[in-house]
Amino acid sequence: MSSHSLEESEKSANVRGFRTLDSSPSEMGMSKKSLEKLENQLTVEDIMKLQDVLMPPGLKEFVPVNRKAFIDRLVTALGCGAEEEYGDLFDRIDVTRDGFVDWDKVTTFMLLGHYEKEERVKTSVVPQWGDIVYLPSHHKEPIQSIVHLTNSHRYLSISKDGWMSVWGENLKLQKTLRVATDSVRLRDLWVTSMIFMANVNKIAVAFTSKEICFYDPNSKEEFSWQYKLHGLCHTLICMHYWYNPEDGNEAILTFGDVSGEVNAICFTSALISLFERPVTSAEEQETTVAISWLELLRGTHKCCFTLNHKGHSREWVRQVSYFSNLEAFISCATTDINTIVLGWKEKGTTTLKVTAFHVTEGVNAFDYHPGLNLIASAAADHHIYLWNPYLKVRPTGVLRGHQASVLTVQFSISRKQLFSFSKDKILRIWDMHHQLCVQRLAGIFPKPLEFQTILYFNELLGHLFTTFNSQLTLLEMKQEVGNCLTSHEKPVTCVLYNSHFKQVISSDVGSTVIIWMIETGQKLKQFTRCHGNSEITTMTLNDTETRLFTASVDGTVKIWDFNGHCHHKLNAGMDQAAEISQILILKRSILILGWESKITVFRMDTLTELLVQPSKWKGKAQHHNDILCAAFLPPQTLATGSYDGEIVIWNNNSENASSRFHPCLNQTLQLRSGGANLVTCGASGVVRFWNSFKCQLLSEFDAHADALSIVMAVDKKNSFLITGDVNGCIKIWNIEDYCLNYSDVVMTQLPPMVAAIQPHSDCVNHLETCTQDGQLLILSAAADCSLVLSYISGSVIGVFGQDEHWRIGKRSPPPVIKLPPKEEKTPNQKPKRSKVCPSVTIDDASLMEEDIDSNSRVDIWQTTVLGKTFRESRIQRRPRPQLCTWEKVQSPIGTFSSLHMEDLEKIIDLTKPDFLQNPHKYFDGKTEEDYNEKQIFPTAPETLKVAFDEKSLFPKELLDREKKINLLHKEDLNVIKAKANGDGPRLKARQLQEIAPENKLGKR
């Protein structure tokens, strides 16, 4: 086999397989071997040898061979590979199970395989689009420009009359505002172009009034301009902006006008200031600044300079751009001469040196691919011309296929494809390697007779915008999966495990819920449009695991059974859209969090109608930002975390906050027992362990370096912590003995890491742990549309929905087995707890099980009297009804299987002890009846010697003190009455005379 084919097979295996960061070389080799098929490794020489095997020398016809002969001959002829591989190849060729194969079967099998491979490659090359979407807008005039704000992930569209629409990341219209300039009345306003200056976060808008206004999109005041460049010689109709990603101070603003002139403003300190401000007071620094074009030409502003050329002979410049790869300015016009002009900068002069390309009938638009070094031009003669920037004699290629004038073109840089749109409303996608049309989209666009159009493709997000006058349409490219296995058509948002039914439940952004079998990975049920077209953000199960709660961005939570029937709909958002991040089900209430700073609660006793309204949370709002997560520790401790990183501890019974603390941005909370009972994670990839009762940070460590955000899960026994990041990496940590004791010093040591794997190629959205057949497993859902099942050791079992079904119980024993160390103990020595336990690998565990002699195993139920008796009683007992059947077969090897057990000896007669045979020797001779005679007890008057009274019950000191208190109380009452009657002093003297004899008696 050639080295080239081996390298290709290794690359293919790396693409299709899962990357394990801590896998051993043997494991990686086994994974590659299992993923790469034998027929894909065969070269042309190997196929010729295969032909000779099926047609021996001296024969003119192909001879059928059976399985054994096929394996033996191929092993001898090819000299590589294992017999199991050739046997598997024979079984896949012999699909009819005839027991033999011939040359016709082999060639048919290989041709079908190559056809399927070609179809897969074709689907990966041709973009797959969703349905066209007509975006609602308030534009009444034709749309002039569309820009994408990379820092805030928003889109802006502006029409000719100055109305600007702001679209959110979810492509929903957020607001509409009006841009204006003080030099023109609103009814006379005409916008020609708009660009986004990403490095300085500003928007530049050109008007027919021969001026450019610069706006700040994040300004808290009304949308007003900060800079205004006025006094231009001609009206601008197109603009382009470029900045150096390595040095943001270096930027170039290029624009073309109706006179065929191309001008450029080269900024040298854009991050400091675009233009120099006049020397004024500090209070006037925030005012707007007007700059004259004549000032720039004279070089008054030292932070910028200008360049220009007049290469289009007074024809309108339709498009202009600057490309740093060429260090040239490219522009086009609809004229036969100087159709495409390249302007090159020369030292010592502000006039650009030009190179021109000529196209009959002119060019409407162009684009440049830096990797291919090609300029594609949309010509009015129905063709697309491809140019090398350094060869102006003739085009290097011509793309033919459009039947009308081509209006616009744009490259897909990563896919090396070209999008073109013609006047007959047909969109074509061209493969630039073969220069062929691979896709044609027609009949889906609006049908106006006369229209003005713009084509804008956001390659990063796969959004293709097209405009037809004031109408804006969107085509969204489906995510390309290639050879990667997927479980959902859209990114998976949440995953749950139902231990009652032994099923896995997953949801995606397309509002689809799928139920899987965990034993095999097969799909059982699928429920679509659970919340219409709204994304399902999170899910949870009730305590009995018979009801499924799903939450959506539409602000509702629905309660389902597993037959797909919706029992209740919780109106958490109060008829408003709300991005719910978590549902927490308690004993008497349901808490819903995610979109506001207060807790939304539903009481269990209110779940009587289909539509349920929220109840009132008793406590006051404590968070200052949106609450994203919560965790509950029985019996009454509730912890909530908000977007700004603040954590609040609540008493769930009173619903009042008891404490609060603020570490950093948190997005996930998990409660555990021990010294640290609260685990938090979120931004920057840091995990923290807290003691919630003392509000004390015990430990923090960097789980995922340079990660923007992470998610986590903790198993029910609090032994393992699983974390996942935005890159698809998952790490498993052993926290069984981590942070168990309280300490005033914050620990930064990392817990032992069990494994680090990367089963996903995109952001991990949710993690869950489950136990199946006595093994702890990990469920991970990610934005790459896959749902993966893994062992706690880090090895991947498979992807839900894959063709090959897995078997968890038969595939592999537990990855790590802990054995207690053997110690010699003295009779007075107490057993010690082992701190270090040796581990046995998977291979060692399998060898240990094979070394046990099956004859040495003792059947306790057949060889012991106790076992026989218990078994008979169990057989005669009425069987209990079972909720589910268990397919797990218990191993006959038990804890006491190595002990030698014999039958108990039967005792025929027992010898009575002497005290039973001769009771008179040990007792006084009285019988039991003599002791049971009725005894007569004396009555109470006969035994009572002293009459009962209060003085005999309490001590004398207590009685005297009570008497004195009563006298003082009586004195106070008499004084109050005397003051009211006016004889206070005389009454007080009389009371003192009464008290004096009493004091004398006390002293005696």
Side-chain angles (χ1 to χ4, degrees):
M1 191 178 299
S2 64
S3 61
H4 177 69
S5 61
L6 285 175
E7 292 177 358
E8 290 182 349
S9 64
E10 290 180 1
K11 292 179 181 179
S12 177
N14 288 332
V15 171
R16 299 177 59 190
F18 296 99
R19 291 181 289 168
T20 305
L21 302 183
D22 61 343
S23 299
S24 62
S26 60
E27 291 178 351
M28 293 297 294
M30 292 176 61
S31 63
K32 291 180 182 180
K33 179 179 177 181
S34 60
L35 291 173
E36 183 67 10
K37 295 181 180 179
L38 179 62
E39 62 270 19
N40 295 334
Q41 304 177 12
L42 300 178
T43 62
V44 178
E45 297 178 359
D46 296 332
I47 296 176
M48 295 178 65
K49 293 178 182 179
L50 177 60
Q51 184 180 6
D52 296 336
V53 167
L54 298 176
M55 188 174 62
L59 298 179
K60 297 182 180 180
E61 295 181 356
F62 293 101
V63 179
V65 295
N66 57 17
R67 192 176 191 274
K68 186 176 184 306
F70 181 85
I71 296 173
D72 295 338
R73 294 181 184 180
L74 283 186
V75 170
T76 305
L78 300 181
C80 61
E83 294 183 359
E84 292 81 7
E85 292 180 312
Y86 294 107
D88 179 67
L89 177 60
F90 180 92
D91 296 336
R92 285 185 285 113
I93 295 175
D94 186 20
V95 291
T96 57
R97 295 297 182 266
D98 296 330
F100 66 92
V101 297
D102 53 12
W103 180 247
D104 292 335
K105 285 187 176 182
V106 172
T107 53
T108 302
F109 170 80
M110 299 189 71
L111 287 175
L112 288 175
H114 285 292
Y115 174 79
E116 293 175 356
K117 185 177 180 180
E118 184 179 356
E119 287 295 317
R120 287 195 299 268
V121 173
K122 184 178 179 180
T123 56
S124 64
V125 170
V126 179
Q128 303 297 320
W129 304 96
D131 297 334
I132 189 170
V133 179
Y134 293 85
L135 300 178
S137 66
H138 297 286
H139 294 301
K140 301 298 178 58
E141 296 290 337
I143 299 174
Q144 301 289 74
S145 298
I146 301 174
V147 296
H148 179 238
L149 306 183
T150 55
N151 53 356
S152 60
H153 304 288
R154 294 183 297 173
Y155 290 98
L156 300 181
S157 62
I158 192 169
S159 56
K160 186 178 70 172
D161 54 359
W163 282 105
M164 179 185 295
S165 297
V166 182
W167 310 84
E169 187 177 4
N170 54 0
L171 297 177
K172 292 184 178 179
L173 185 63
Q174 293 182 344
K175 59 182 178 179
T176 302
L177 46 89
R178 187 78 178 268
V179 297
T181 176
D182 54 0
S183 59
V184 179
R185 292 179 297 180
L186 289 179
R187 65 180 184 180
D188 297 330
L189 191 71
W190 191 326
V191 175
T192 58
S193 181
M194 177 179 64
I195 57 168
F196 175 57
M197 308 168 73
N199 60 328
V200 295
N201 194 28
K202 286 182 173 52
I203 298 171
V205 181
F207 301 92
T208 55
S209 55
K210 302 177 184 179
E211 56 188 6
I212 304 174
C213 294
F214 299 85
Y215 302 88
D216 184 3
N218 296 330
S219 178
K220 296 181 180 179
E221 301 178 358
E222 189 178 355
F223 200 74
S224 58
W225 52 269
Q226 292 182 334
Y227 298 98
K228 182 174 72 171
L229 178 61
H230 63 91
L232 296 170
C233 300
H234 305 282
T235 302
L236 280 65
I237 56 176
C238 58
M239 290 193 300
H240 179 265
Y241 184 77
W242 169 90
Y243 73 94
N244 189 352
E246 298 179 357
D247 184 8
N249 287 312
E250 183 182 352
I252 298 176
L253 172 62
T254 312
F255 51 89
D257 56 32
V258 296
S259 67
E261 186 174 353
V262 173
N263 293 279
I265 304 175
C266 303
F267 300 97
T268 57
S269 58
L271 297 180
I272 301 174
S273 179
L274 292 177
F275 306 98
E276 293 182 0
R277 289 177 172 270
V279 181
T280 56
S281 62
E283 296 180 357
E284 296 180 355
Q285 289 293 324
E286 300 298 330
T287 60
T288 58
V289 178
I291 301 99
S292 172
W293 175 246
L294 186 59
E295 295 178 5
L296 298 183
L297 293 179
R298 292 175 179 177
T300 305
H301 296 261
K302 303 300 181 182
C303 56
C304 60
F305 59 92
T306 61
L307 301 172
N308 73 321
H309 75 77
K310 302 178 181 179
H312 288 287
S313 303
R314 305 191 65 82
E315 291 289 337
W316 285 24
V317 180
R318 298 294 179 177
Q319 184 181 346
V320 63
S321 297
Y322 172 78
F323 296 99
S324 59
N325 299 68
L326 299 174
E327 296 184 355
F329 299 86
I330 305 179
S331 56
C332 69
T334 54
T335 178
D336 296 343
I337 302 175
N338 295 346
T339 309
I340 301 175
V341 175
L342 276 69
W344 312 87
K345 179 183 175 183
E346 291 185 335
K347 292 183 179 181
T349 178
T350 59
T351 304
L352 299 173
K353 179 183 177 181
V354 298
T355 301
F357 300 94
H358 311 294
V359 179
T360 305
E361 299 183 20
V363 168
N364 294 312
F366 67 89
D367 197 11
Y368 173 71
H369 195 294
L372 301 175
N373 195 29
L374 284 178
I375 300 174
S377 58
D381 61 358
H382 310 173
H383 300 328
I384 300 172
Y385 295 95
L386 305 177
W387 307 86
N388 187 316
Y390 303 102
L391 299 176
K392 66 176 184 178
V393 179
R394 65 177 63 88
T396 59
V398 180
L399 304 180
R400 295 179 174 88
H402 282 289
Q403 302 299 320
S405 175
V406 184
L407 301 178
T408 180
V409 289
Q410 184 174 348
F411 275 110
S412 174
I413 304 298
S414 60
R415 303 171 67 93
K416 295 183 179 179
Q417 294 176 342
L418 180 67
F419 296 81
S420 63
F421 192 76
S422 58
K423 195 172 183 179
D424 55 359
K425 294 178 281 296
I426 294 179
L427 176 67
R428 287 180 178 267
I429 301 176
W430 307 83
D431 179 22
M432 299 310 299
H433 179 70
H434 300 285
Q435 296 188 6
L436 295 174
C437 179
V438 296
Q439 192 173 35
R440 178 180 179 271
L441 300 178
I444 62 174
F445 301 103
K447 300 179 180 180
L449 297 178
E450 297 293 334
F451 64 93
Q452 179 181 338
T453 186
I454 295 174
L455 181 71
Y456 177 79
F457 178 59
N458 188 330
E459 187 170 357
L460 182 62
L461 301 177
H463 294 161
L464 179 63
F465 295 92
T466 52
T467 65
F468 299 87
N469 295 333
S470 61
Q471 179 66 58
L472 182 61
T473 64
L474 169 67
L475 280 174
E476 188 171 0
M477 184 183 296
K478 294 182 179 180
Q479 186 175 3
E480 182 178 332
V481 297
N483 292 330
C484 298
L485 298 174
T486 59
S487 308
H488 286 250
E489 292 184 358
K490 296 185 177 181
V492 189
T493 57
C494 187
V495 58
L496 299 174
Y497 176 65
N498 191 324
S499 59
H500 183 71
F501 296 112
K502 300 293 184 296
Q503 295 172 353
V504 175
I505 309 155
S506 59
S507 64
D508 61 20
V509 299
S511 197
T512 299
V513 175
I514 301 180
I515 301 176
W516 312 84
M517 292 179 60
I518 194 171
E519 293 92 347
T520 60
Q522 291 177 276
K523 183 190 295 186
L524 287 178
K525 298 179 181 179
Q526 178 172 333
F527 305 103
T528 59
R529 297 180 58 82
C530 296
H531 288 263
N533 294 325
S534 300
E535 171 187 350
I536 297 178
T537 56
T538 185
M539 300 187 299
T540 191
L541 294 169
N542 64 343
D543 294 338
T544 59
E545 298 185 346
T546 56
R547 291 291 184 267
L548 174 66
F549 292 68
T550 61
S552 174
V553 294
D554 59 3
T556 62
V557 175
K558 293 185 179 181
I559 306 177
W560 310 79
D561 59 22
F562 285 89
N563 291 324
H565 176 67
C566 180
H567 293 266
H568 304 285
K569 181 180 179 180
L570 311 184
N571 189 13
M574 299 297 293
D575 300 326
Q576 298 293 329
E579 189 169 353
I580 301 172
S581 61
Q582 185 174 353
I583 307 170
L584 186 62
I585 301 178
L586 304 179
K587 186 176 181 180
R588 293 185 295 271
S589 60
I590 303 170
L591 308 184
I592 303 176
L593 318 165
W595 72 100
E596 56 185 359
S597 59
K598 62 181 181 179
I599 300 176
T600 303
V601 59
F602 290 83
R603 311 295 178 186
M604 289 294 186
D605 53 5
T606 61
L607 301 182
T608 57
E609 302 293 336
L610 176 62
L611 183 62
V612 184
Q613 301 297 334
S615 303
K616 185 178 180 181
W617 180 259
K618 299 177 183 177
K620 297 181 180 179
Q622 299 292 333
H623 289 279
H624 299 88
N625 216 315
D626 296 346
I627 304 175
L628 298 182
C629 52
F632 181 72
L633 178 64
Q636 59 188 13
T637 303
L638 174 67
T640 57
S642 60
Y643 182 80
D644 56 0
E646 189 176 35
I647 300 174
V648 177
I649 306 299
W650 306 78
N651 185 310
N652 185 56
N653 291 338
S654 63
E655 297 183 353
N656 291 321
S658 59
S659 59
R660 60 198 302 171
F661 42 96
H662 193 293
C664 72
L665 293 180
N666 295 279
Q667 293 183 352
T668 307
L669 295 178
Q670 294 284 341
L671 283 171
R672 53 170 278 186
S673 60
N677 63 349
L678 180 66
V679 188
T680 65
C681 77
S684 70
V686 178
V687 177
R688 290 179 173 86
F689 285 73
W690 301 83
N691 187 305
S692 63
F693 301 115
K694 299 183 179 181
C695 299
Q696 183 69 32
L697 177 64
L698 301 184
S699 172
E700 64 176 354
F701 63 92
D702 194 355
H704 295 260
D706 302 328
L708 298 177
S709 179
I710 62 174
V711 295
M712 71 176 182
V714 179
D715 68 315
K716 293 183 178 180
K717 295 183 179 180
N718 297 324
S719 299
F720 296 96
L721 169 70
I722 301 96
T723 58
D725 61 16
V726 295
N727 299 319
C729 178
I730 295 177
K731 294 183 180 181
I732 303 146
W733 311 85
N734 189 337
I735 60 171
E736 186 175 6
D737 300 324
Y738 187 75
C739 231
L740 296 181
N741 299 320
Y742 177 79
S743 176
D744 294 332
V745 181
V746 178
M747 183 171 57
T748 58
Q749 181 182 0
L750 276 70
M753 188 172 66
V754 179
I757 60 176
Q758 188 159 2
H760 301 282
S761 60
D762 206 341
C763 175
V764 179
N765 291 328
H766 195 258
L767 292 169
E768 187 77 9
T769 61
C770 64
T771 303
Q772 178 69 16
D773 294 337
Q775 300 187 60
L776 184 61
L777 307 175
I778 303 173
L779 293 164
S780 57
D784 60 358
C785 308
S786 65
L787 179 65
V788 177
L789 181 66
S790 310
Y791 290 110
I792 196 65
S793 63
S795 57
V796 176
I797 298 175
V799 181
F800 285 89
Q802 66 182 27
D803 295 334
E804 181 182 358
H805 299 161
W806 62 68
R807 292 187 179 273
I808 300 174
K810 297 182 180 181
R811 231 181 196 194
S812 172
V816 177
I817 303 173
K818 294 185 178 181
L819 299 176
K822 297 181 180 180
E823 295 182 359
E824 296 181 359
K825 295 184 292 183
T826 60
N828 298 328
Q829 183 182 359
K830 295 182 179 180
K832 297 181 179 180
R833 183 179 177 182
S834 174
K835 295 184 179 179
V836 181
C837 298
S839 62
V840 181
T841 61
I842 299 176
D843 298 334
D844 297 334
S846 60
L847 290 175
M848 289 174 59
E849 185 175 356
E850 291 175 359
D851 293 339
I852 298 175
D853 187 7
S854 59
N855 297 328
S856 63
R857 298 174 181 175
V858 179
D859 190 354
I860 302 175
W861 308 108
Q862 298 293 339
T863 59
T864 61
V865 176
L866 181 62
K868 292 179 180 179
T869 306
F870 183 76
R871 187 179 183 186
E872 291 177 359
S873 62
R874 291 287 295 175
I875 294 175
Q876 295 175 1
R877 186 182 300 177
R878 183 179 179 180
R880 295 180 181 179
Q882 298 292 331
L883 295 178
C884 59
T885 58
W886 293 83
E887 299 179 356
K888 179 180 177 181
V889 180
Q890 297 290 342
S891 174
I893 302 179
T895 306
F896 305 101
S897 61
S898 59
L899 298 179
H900 180 66
M901 306 183 69
E902 297 180 351
D903 294 342
L904 299 176
E905 296 180 357
K906 294 183 180 180
I907 301 175
I908 301 175
D909 194 8
L910 294 175
T911 303
K912 295 182 179 181
D914 186 57
F915 71 88
L916 292 178
Q917 297 180 2
N918 301 310
H920 59 279
K921 295 181 181 180
Y922 303 92
F923 306 101
D924 55 359
K926 293 183 179 181
T927 61
E928 187 177 357
E929 289 78 5
D930 297 337
Y931 287 99
N932 292 336
E933 291 180 358
K934 186 177 180 181
Q935 298 181 3
I936 301 174
F937 296 96
T939 60
E942 296 177 355
T943 58
L944 190 61
K945 296 180 180 182
V946 181
F948 172 78
D949 59 354
E950 188 178 7
K951 294 182 180 180
S952 62
L953 180 62
F954 299 102
K956 184 176 181 300
E957 292 80 5
L958 292 178
L959 297 175
D960 293 342
R961 182 175 296 179
E962 184 184 6
K963 184 177 180 180
K964 187 182 293 184
I965 293 173
N966 292 334
L967 289 174
L968 292 174
H969 182 63
K970 183 178 180 181
E971 175 188 354
D972 295 337
L973 292 176
N974 293 333
V975 170
I976 294 172
K977 292 179 180 180
K979 287 182 179 180
N981 299 329
D983 54 352
R986 184 175 53 187
L987 181 62
K988 188 169 185 66
R990 187 188 306 168
Q991 290 176 349
L992 290 175
Q993 292 177 1
E994 293 177 357
I995 295 174
E998 295 293 336
N999 293 336
K1000 293 179 180 180
L1001 290 174
K1003 291 180 181 180
R1004 292 179 183 178

